[in-house]
Amino acid sequence: MDELENLIYLDGLDDALIGIGERIGMPPTTIYDEKKCIEIFMKRDQMTYEEAVEYFEFNVIGAYFGDQSPIFVRS
């Protein structure tokens, strides 16, 4: 499937990747666990919880990569 070759993988967040998702009429996209992303920023970048959440919301969720922008799951 050629669409899988164009997936967007976020640098340094491999441990937060939970799968590949599909939506009708849209190309497949990567799916990340929001909590795990924040935990990675806290551990890797020595951020407080508040700093990691702010960074995640502005720099990760706020980034747009087109139709294959990653999806983030809250649990």
Side-chain angles (χ1 to χ4, degrees):
M1 183 178 236
D2 291 333
E3 293 174 326
L4 294 179
E5 294 176 7
N6 296 322
L7 289 171
I8 306 294
Y9 292 95
L10 302 176
D11 290 338
L13 296 177
D14 294 347
D15 289 341
L17 180 67
I18 57 175
I20 307 299
E22 295 188 47
R23 301 161 286 174
I24 191 159
M26 304 281 288
T29 188
T30 49
I31 302 175
Y32 289 85
D33 181 299
E34 178 179 308
K35 183 178 178 182
K36 288 181 183 177
C37 290
I38 292 168
E39 289 171 355
I40 289 169
F41 296 137
M42 290 171 62
K43 184 175 182 178
R44 183 191 70 197
D45 302 327
Q46 308 278 303
M47 293 182 182
T48 65
Y49 176 77
E50 291 78 16
E51 291 169 334
V53 168
E54 183 177 335
Y55 181 86
F56 176 76
E57 289 175 350
F58 186 79
N59 295 291
V60 180
I61 288 183
Y64 180 70
F65 300 98
D67 288 345
Q68 284 187 291
S69 291
I71 293 172
F72 299 92
V73 175
R74 290 186 184 138
S75 55

